[in-house]
Amino acid sequence: MSSRLKDVAALAGVSTRTVSNVVSGSGAVADETRARVQAALDELGYRPNVAARNLRAGRTGLIGLVIPELHSPYFGELAGLIVEVAQQRSWTVVIDQTFGDSEAERRLLEGAGGRLVDGLIVSPWSLGPEELTGRSREVPVVLLGEQAAHGVADRVAVDSVLAADEATTHLLRSGRKRIAAIGVQPHLRNETARQRLAGYRQALRRAGLKPDPTLERSVTTLHRKDGAQAMTALLEADKQPDAVFAFSDELALGALHAAVSRGVRVPQDIAMVGFDGIEDGRYANPPLTTVVPDKRQIAERALQCLADRIYSPASTVPPLDIVIPHLLDRRASSGPTD
């Protein structure tokens, strides 16, 4: 095999070490160099024996992905991207869903459900800081989402406070004053809802408006039915909102359905903004304004963190806290898009 690596290295004009790093997905390799090596690999028809390589290194080639809900459009899209990027590293992704159950999250975080995996990517909903701090470090873990990692694992997340502030400010600038927030989740220990509520309130206070508890609606889950129920309650209140910021696109789509079903015009009577950038939002009527996290970059950075920990287990680099960019995609649901 080494002679074949030398052939690839000679053709690409790099060292065999660089070729090995490209093949294994480990180490820092410049994009231009990686592309040149890949072209040489393709030209020579080099196909590494991944199973043998993993066996020699004491690895399985399996990566665990633990998410709350696979049927959620956001997590479904993200899982698809993680699988796609993992395949480029010749990794196989094993997916488990927890439905936000703390015991399921703890079991999978500690033992991956009995599976032998080289690393885990976990999006926790229910575990608090103490559970994360007390976990075993035998298997590298990367956390996704707003739950604080407390220095025990790499974390990849969006700045939900900033994103929620931007979404609410967008509605304020369009002249809205009674902006409802749908998605408060006091029963969960994850920080997603808390941070989005904090960003919403922050924008209101900066505009000189006092947050109104009657406009902050709790939900059990982040599904369409919860958004519809919250919107119905808002419309039946004495004073209706003139805008809604929903903490997920699913909630926003449910709210949109409930509003339109009652003859409410969107955005003329009530403007709406969601969060997650799921594909369904593009095809709503009207199309949904939404905060769009860079999901591909979430997948790429999470897997790179995992690769760095797997291939350099003795590394003294402290856990990373990586903030992924987002954008506010302005569509018709919140008013004129110019």
Side-chain angles (χ1 to χ4, degrees), residues 16-65:
T16 55
R17 175 72 175 178
T18 298
V19 175
S20 179
N21 285 342
V22 172
V23 170
S24 66
S26 63
V29 180
D31 291 342
E32 181 181 349
T33 303
R34 188 180 297 276
R36 193 163 70 249
V37 171
Q38 188 60 56
L41 289 167
D42 294 340
E43 182 175 338
L44 294 178
Y46 177 83
R47 295 293 179 267
N49 188 329
V50 177
R53 187 182 72 212
N54 286 331
L55 184 62
R56 287 194 301 272
R59 294 190 288 265
T60 66
L62 297 178
I63 300 300
L65 173 61

Side-chain angles (χ1 to χ4, degrees), residues 2 24 59 66-67 82-83 91 103 124 138 144 153 180 186 189 196 201 219 222 227 233 253-254 269:
S2 61
S24 66
R59 294 190 288 265
V66 180
I67 55 177
I82 288 174
V83 169
W91 285 345
E103 287 304 316
E138 292 181 3
L144 301 182
R189 302 182 69 182
R196 293 176 190 180
R201 289 174 173 173
V219 297
L222 301 178
L253 291 172
D269 301 324

Side-chain angles (χ1 to χ4, degrees), residues 134-320:
R135 64 164 293 274
S136 167
R137 303 191 187 194
E138 292 181 3
V139 176
V141 169
V142 176
L143 299 175
L144 301 182
E146 290 79 355
Q147 179 66 281
H150 294 277
V152 300
D154 296 321
R155 183 182 73 122
V156 180
V158 173
D159 187 338
S160 273
V161 175
L162 176 62
D165 186 318
E166 291 175 355
T168 308
T169 298
H170 169 63
L171 292 168
L172 289 165
R173 287 175 176 168
S174 68
R176 313 292 170 154
K177 298 294 184 183
R178 286 186 53 78
I179 302 173
I182 296 179
V184 180
Q185 291 185 296
H187 62 290
L188 289 182
R189 302 182 69 182
N190 81 77
E191 292 296 314
T192 302
R194 290 189 183 94
Q195 291 189 18
R196 293 176 190 180
L197 180 62
Y200 157 82
R201 289 174 173 173
Q202 179 175 282
L204 292 180
R205 292 193 178 102
R206 192 172 56 250
L209 298 175
K210 183 179 179 181
D212 182 349
T214 67
L215 292 175
E216 298 174 358
R217 294 289 165 164
S218 299
V219 297
T220 303
T221 70
L222 301 178
H223 299 156
R224 292 171 177 82
K225 65 178 178 60
D226 299 89
Q229 290 168 358
M231 187 75 248
T232 298
L234 286 166
L235 294 175
E236 291 176 349
D238 292 336
K239 295 183 67 176
Q240 296 183 2
D242 58 11
V244 168
F245 168 49
F247 294 1
S248 79
D249 282 351
E250 280 196 84
L251 289 173
L253 291 172
L256 176 61
H257 174 78
V260 172
S261 297
R262 286 174 167 255
V264 175
R265 299 173 302 163
V266 177
Q268 293 91 335
D269 301 324
I270 296 180
M272 291 193 185
V273 174
F275 200 118
D276 285 340
I278 66 174
E279 191 68 12
D280 288 359
R282 294 184 180 274
Y283 300 98
N285 187 18
L288 181 65
T289 294
T290 180
V291 174
V292 184
D294 190 335
K295 291 189 279 290
R296 177 168 290 277
Q297 192 170 154
I298 291 174
E300 291 174 346
R301 296 299 297 274
L303 285 163
Q304 184 59 58
C305 284
L306 211 54
D308 291 342
R309 300 299 177 183
I310 291 171
Y311 295 119
S312 301
S315 173
T316 58
V317 175
L320 303 176

